[in-house]
Amino acid sequence: MDAIRIAEGVNAGRLDPVAVVTEHLARIESQDGRIHAFLALNPRAEEEARAVAERVSAGERLPLAGVPFAVKDNLATRGLATTAGSKILADFVPPYTATAVARLRAAGAVLLGKTNLDEFAMGSSTEHSAFGPTKNPWDLARVPGGSSGGSAAAVAAGMVPLALGSDTGGSIRQPAAYTGTLGFKPTYGRVSRYGLIAYASSLDTVGPIARSVADLAAAMDVLAGYDPKDATSLEAEAGFRAALNRPVQGLRVALIRETLGPGTDPAVREATLRFAGVLEDLGVEMGEVGLPELDYALAAYYLVATSEASSNLARYDGTLYGMRSAGADLIAAMKATRARFLGQEVKRRIFMGTFALSSGYYQAYYGRALKARGAIARAFERAFADHDLLITPTAPTPAFRLGEKVTDPLSMYLTDVNTVAANLAGLPALSIPAGFADGLPLGVQLIAPAMQDERLLAVAAAFERATGGSYQRVASLDRG
Ligand code: GLN
């Protein structure tokens, strides 16, 4: 059942939140042995559902009353282990809760558990999790994408209607595309990052994954808003559900030409063009725009992201929290701790970032990446001068096979080629299911100008209505 239907039923007294939670836990129990979306379940889920039932019977009306949700395991949950998919945090139980999680709970949603991810959100498949990969519910031989692969798989397999992910370079949108779910990356600053374990702070965002546009909107109305605990948080009214019925007629929308070239799977290209055709039938003015600056997006992203990561991850040295190895002195202990408990991809990122920031190379790498980032932001501004919305495939191909790219970092990084630019420019973007290829779901990405997050939902809702939601269903779980 969709999140908003659960909330309606609970608010009307027709549904018991405890029963809703029990049913979803049973679904997790029966499915997750094969999928491994969850790293841990919330032992207090039923108790928390009872508290929601009491609030409702006391007369409160809660926008997400009784909605079970899952949280990517790089968002802090007080009293519940938060590992970021890393051995170095295997024993870490945070003393505080991320604002995004607290907001969903205040709105009546019930946390069921923490989901798998690539270690510290560095990856595109969940294969870099220290606790084993998540499988794609559509085909168990394939990856669910990443790094929010556990959250996307949990939603796709009907284990929860709603999950939180984080998106630094595509980690909400790409897994959404691979699992036939919807993923929303807000404008940088619209959803608080407080309690998100930092990867690359100038790119990191928190957002929802769901199975319908209305559910995304309901979640965003709760998640968006100013938070004094996040210095980059923005003050803005949230009007996501109100935007669902906004007319789209006359909107100027453009496909980004560079994302439809020979590197893109023909089925993905076809789905993107069909999506554009549906919008055109709805009275949207459809065009095409060239953004050659995007050629630099992936390289700029992997320099900026690794540079910031090398700084952010310096804190995992075994002295204050997390796992620790013994050593003859303090430095030896730190070295032993990091060598033993950080994974290979994380080390690769730290090396790359440290190198890019080192004196003598700083200008050549980090400095130039910042210039490219500026050029990309300006290119978007130019495109948005005469367009309201831009469209690309979310990823160039459908979900790939487990093991296919794990030993080839560059080919793994290339799956993010269409998503990283929105992070570099701080723009809101959404992935919506728009087709299938050989039974595997495909996603289309919509990108809007900064602070026009609601526009993405207006257009996604129009597409969903026009196609009867025919590309959005629970994974059949009958393959692989
Ligand atoms: N796959 C990208 C990376 O490895 C993006 C990850 C993310 O958005 N967290 O950096």
Side-chain angles (χ1 to χ4, degrees), residues 133-460:
T134 299
K135 315 277 175 63
N136 190 318
W138 293 89
D139 180 347
L140 298 175
R142 292 181 188 263
V143 303
S147 61
S148 314
S151 283
V155 172
M159 297 192 263
V160 281
L162 177 66
L164 288 177
S166 68
D167 191 313
T168 303
S171 277
I172 289 174
R173 291 160 286 158
Q174 183 256 32
Y178 284 4
T179 58
T181 55
L182 291 104
F184 191 92
K185 175 228 170 283
T187 296
Y188 183 80
R190 268 203 93 173
V191 174
S192 171
R193 287 182 296 117
Y194 177 75
L196 170 68
I197 292 178
Y199 162 12
S201 307
S202 78
L203 304 162
D204 291 343
T205 55
V206 176
I209 296 173
R211 290 189 302 266
S212 75
V213 180
D215 279 5
L216 272 193
M220 279 306 297
D221 273 333
V222 169
L223 291 168
Y226 177 71
D227 179 11
K229 292 178 182 150
D230 173 358
T232 58
S233 171
L234 298 171
E235 196 113 38
E237 285 286 309
F240 289 90
R241 286 185 84 169
L244 295 178
N245 292 307
R246 248 195 231 172
V248 298
Q249 204 173 5
L251 277 183
R252 300 159 306 167
V253 181
L255 292 154
I256 302 181
R257 196 176 302 130
E258 286 78 6
T259 65
L260 294 164
T264 301
D265 185 289
V268 173
R269 187 182 313 126
E270 219 173 278
T272 311
L273 296 176
R274 192 172 54 231
F275 181 93
V278 170
L279 292 192
E280 220 168 354
D281 291 344
L282 293 172
V284 159
E285 234 175 80
M286 189 58 64
E288 210 178 81
V289 63
L291 282 176
E293 291 85 349
L294 292 193
D295 283 357
Y296 303 106
L298 201 70
Y301 169 80
Y302 275 98
L303 285 166
V304 172
T306 56
S307 296
E308 294 186 20
S310 72
S311 164
N312 273 326
L313 270 64
R315 67 188 66 149
Y316 304 106
D317 57 14
T319 55
L320 287 177
Y321 47 77
M323 305 296 281
R324 121 185 256 167
S325 272
D329 54 35
L330 183 64
I331 298 297
M334 287 180 178
K335 282 184 179 169
T337 299
R338 288 168 70 81
R340 178 162 165 212
F341 295 113
L342 290 176
Q344 213 198 338
E345 182 63 25
V346 171
K347 286 176 184 159
R348 190 195 327 272
R349 305 283 177 110
I350 293 172
F351 287 141
M352 284 203 290
T354 306
F355 183 77
L357 292 175
S358 57
S359 79
Y361 293 106
Y362 183 93
Q363 270 316 323
Y365 292 107
Y366 186 67
R368 282 175 80 191
L370 287 188
K371 280 188 192 143
R373 184 177 190 173
I376 288 161
R378 287 191 297 277
F380 274 118
E381 268 168 37
R382 271 199 312 277
F384 283 128
D386 27 52
H387 296 98
D388 301 306
L389 200 81
L390 300 173
I391 298 181
T392 79
T394 306
T397 69
F400 49 93
R401 289 179 186 285
L402 287 151
E404 191 180 320
K405 296 182 194 286
V406 75
T407 54
D408 181 357
L410 188 58
S411 84
M412 185 79 85
Y413 298 173
L414 277 166
T415 68
D416 304 319
V417 66
N418 295 340
T419 47
V420 294
N423 300 78
L424 288 168
L427 304 177
L430 166 157
S431 179
I432 181 168
F436 293 95
D438 292 329
L440 295 172
L442 306 173
V444 165
Q445 175 180 231
L446 318 183
I447 309 174
M451 302 311 284
Q452 301 302 323
D453 304 54
E454 283 86 343
R455 188 181 296 160
L456 296 170
L457 292 185
V459 174

Side-chain angles (χ1 to χ4, degrees), residues 462-478:
F463 175 78
E464 185 184 59
R465 277 192 300 271
T467 55
S470 54
Y471 303 114
Q472 298 155 223
R473 32 183 143 99
V474 176
S476 49
L477 292 159
D478 58 3

